Amino acid sequence: MNYQGPDRDRRDARADEAHTDPIGYSVDEGSEFHRSLHGHPQRQEPHPRASRHGDREAERPAVPQEVGRSRAASRKNRAASSRKRRGRLVAAVLGLVLIVAVAGGGYFAVNKFGNRTTPNADFAAGSPGDGVVIQVHPNDTAQQIGTQAADKGVVASSGAFLEAALSNNAITSVQPGFYLLASNVPASQAVSELVDPASRVGNMVISEGRQLHDARDVNTGAVKKGIYTLISEASCVDRTGSGTPTCVSYDDLNAAGAVDDPAALGVPDWATDRVEGVPDRDRQLEGLIAAGTWDFDPSAAPTDILEQLVSESATRYEDTGILTAGANSGLTPYDTLVAASLVERESLPQDFSKVARVILNRLAVPQKLEFDSTVNYSLDTTEVATTDADRARVTPWNTYASEGLPATPISSPSIGAVQAVEMPADGDWLYFVTINQAGETLFTRSYEEHLANITKVEGGFLDSGR
């Protein structure tokens, strides 16, 4: 926001182009906003300073001035001028602008209390109803939030909500997202609940490399929560205040994600054909929900939740240039996503572009990728090393058993991994091996040199837990 104060407003008030505030209200001379702060322009005295575009007042013809007035008339005139100045001060105070920062942006609301002749309707305290979910969008005004709250029965009127917001400085902490608010409450209570971080619902973080389903670490036994589990946990809300929240279940999400109609799930056109051909419907959305921070309506149906996450993820991926990157990589947008998921699971960010090049080089030979991460995927396990038996098992994902890319992504890749596949490093490497827990990775084109690099693996690092 670039707010330069009342002095700048007065200097620019006579500029010959119209000025607006950040939400589009006209604030040029003669506008409703200008009148609320400065009074009616026809009754204003000429400003002693010129505007940026020249002294417009100087161009107006002189007005004859009355002379010879009595002292009584002069006193009467001074009293009238004093009342006018006080009136303008009240108008300026009553024309308060609420400025609330929201996620790096801001929202603005203008409330002219002087124009209201009756109090805003408000609910009495003591009889709250069940909780309802409202959404705060980026750049929402307090008036817009209040209108939504009134429409859903949280408050009796948007005006009462706006007044309460003006009185609560904590409103500046509100972020875009979804909030659970009690219904049928006074506006001041609604605003207090809105600014309470505990009221935020449907918020989650999906880390890079996360899979749709839970996975177990072979060596430690620890379970890494899948995306469906994260959504289920973030959906839990206690609408009745009973202490027992209602959640969208993991099973319901899994069932919703397995429907035969990709379009109903927000799958973009560039992925539809491949999704329709996925051999395991439970895995057809793998990789299509991007890593990152997400807000969703926890009161929505499972299909609607997934549709939002998938469609918005498609936009995030498309913003990387995935639709046109094939001119450089030779991969379709969906295969770019598949390759990026392998890059994510096989390397650290500093090696993303080199591993991406290994993938493209092997596909061009052609040569099997032979990635242990693709073996682990169909087993829903996590392990640096894999067994001979597991590597020999033929699945649509096991790149030891089949040439080419897996049938789907094997995780949700980071944007950095996607960009690495779109613009891989230059090199002729065909092999790489990570030799320690720090992620140190050695690359080569020579198989003999690769075997030598394997001998540098630190003791125990590639030992199987089975």
Side-chain angles (χ1 to χ4, degrees):
M1 180 191 70
N2 186 21
Y3 181 70
Q4 303 182 32
D7 290 337
R8 175 61 180 270
D9 289 342
R10 286 194 293 270
R11 287 198 302 270
D12 290 349
R14 296 184 179 89
D16 56 5
E17 76 267 22
H19 296 282
T20 60
D21 77 349
I23 56 174
Y25 293 114
S26 177
V27 296
D28 55 312
E29 183 174 0
S31 69
E32 184 180 3
F33 181 83
H34 189 276
R35 289 198 301 273
S36 72
L37 293 178
H38 306 291
H40 198 284
Q42 293 180 352
R43 294 194 297 272
Q44 287 187 335
E45 299 296 330
H47 198 285
R49 289 179 293 178
S51 72
R52 293 178 300 172
H53 299 278
D55 191 348
R56 302 291 177 182
E57 300 294 334
E59 299 174 4
R60 298 177 183 174
V63 178
Q65 301 294 314
E66 181 182 1
V67 297
R69 290 179 294 178
S70 67
R71 292 180 179 179
S74 297
R75 286 195 299 272
K76 182 176 180 181
N77 183 64
R78 286 196 298 272
S81 297
S82 178
R83 288 193 298 271
K84 180 186 295 184
R85 285 193 297 271
R86 288 197 299 271
R88 289 178 183 172
L89 178 60
V90 171
V93 172
L94 294 180
L96 290 173
V97 178
L98 174 64
I99 305 175
V100 182
V102 178
Y107 64 79
F108 302 75
V110 179
N111 187 23
K112 301 178 181 62
F113 297 105
N115 292 338
R116 194 180 66 244
T117 58
T118 59
N120 287 310
D122 202 3
F123 289 133
S127 300
D130 288 347
V132 296
V133 176
I134 70 167
Q135 181 178 9
V136 175
H137 302 86
N139 302 317
D140 264 358
T141 66
Q143 183 69 45
Q144 288 170 322
I145 298 172
T147 297
Q148 184 184 172
D151 290 343
K152 293 193 173 184
V154 174
V155 295
S157 68
S158 60
F161 181 93
L162 181 56
E163 284 190 70
L166 283 166
S167 302
N168 193 326
N169 291 333
I171 195 72
T172 58
S173 66
V174 176
Q175 300 294 313
F178 294 86
Y179 295 82
L180 180 67
L181 307 180
S183 59
N184 199 51
V185 296
S188 60
Q189 179 178 335
V191 172
S192 295
E193 290 183 6
L194 178 64
V195 302
D196 183 353
S199 296
R200 191 169 182 178
V201 292
N203 176 254
M204 67 175 179
V205 176
I206 298 176
S207 60
E208 295 86 350
R210 189 78 61 164
Q211 297 175 191
L212 281 178
H213 304 94
D214 298 349
R216 180 181 59 86
D217 187 287
V218 171
N219 294 297
T220 67
V223 174
K224 186 176 184 179
K225 295 177 180 178
I227 292 173
Y228 286 158
T229 295
L230 296 178
I231 297 173
S232 177
E233 292 178 348
S235 74
C236 295
V237 293
D238 182 6
R239 295 183 180 84
T240 64
S242 64
T244 303
T246 301
C247 312
V248 177
S249 73
Y250 174 98
D251 289 339
D252 286 344
L253 288 163
N254 191 47
V259 299
D260 291 334
D261 183 8
L265 297 172
V267 175
D269 292 342
W270 48 265
T272 299
D273 289 345
R274 294 288 294 277
V275 169
E276 289 177 340
V278 170
D280 183 350
R281 282 275 169 253
D282 286 351
R283 299 179 187 272
Q284 67 179 357
L285 293 186
E286 193 70 82
L288 292 173
I289 299 177
T293 300
W294 290 101
D295 290 290
F296 65 90
D297 184 353
S299 64
T303 300
D304 293 332
I305 294 173
L306 294 179
E307 189 277 334
Q308 177 209 328
L309 298 176
V310 172
S311 60
E312 292 182 10
S313 294
T315 299
R316 294 189 187 186
Y317 290 140
E318 289 164 11
D319 287 343
T320 70
I322 198 171
L323 297 180
T324 57
N328 181 59
S329 68
L331 299 180
T332 66
Y334 188 79
D335 280 340
T336 298
L337 197 60
V338 175
S341 73
L342 302 182
V343 168
E344 187 71 55
R345 295 302 295 268
E346 289 284 335
S347 58
L348 295 178
Q350 63 264 27
D351 292 320
F352 277 179
S353 63
K354 295 176 76 173
V355 172
R357 174 53 65 189
V358 170
I359 292 173
L360 296 178
N361 287 346
R362 286 201 172 198
L363 292 175
V365 170
Q367 181 177 340
K368 292 178 182 177
L369 296 178
E370 296 183 334
F371 287 175
D372 291 296
S373 57
T374 65
V375 176
N376 287 325
Y377 176 73
S378 59
L379 301 174
D380 287 325
T381 58
T382 301
E383 186 178 21
V384 176
T386 55
T387 66
D388 291 340
D390 288 338
R391 289 193 295 272
R393 183 180 290 113
V394 178
T395 75
W397 294 271
N398 184 359
T399 56
Y400 277 94
S402 305
E403 290 183 357
L405 292 166
T408 70
I410 62 171
S411 70
S412 291
S414 62
I415 295 301
V418 175
Q419 292 172 328
V421 177
E422 293 170 352
M423 293 293 293
D426 291 330
D428 62 355
W429 313 291
L430 289 174
Y431 305 94
F432 67 92
V433 59
T434 301
I435 63 174
N436 54 37
Q437 290 286 353
E440 183 180 356
T441 303
L442 305 178
F443 294 81
T444 181
R445 180 177 180 82
S446 166
Y447 182 66
E448 289 73 19
E449 187 174 345
H450 176 60
L451 293 177
N453 287 339
I454 291 176
T455 66
K456 301 175 184 178
V457 174
E458 295 182 2
F461 179 60
L462 292 181
D463 290 349
S464 174
R466 289 175 287 188

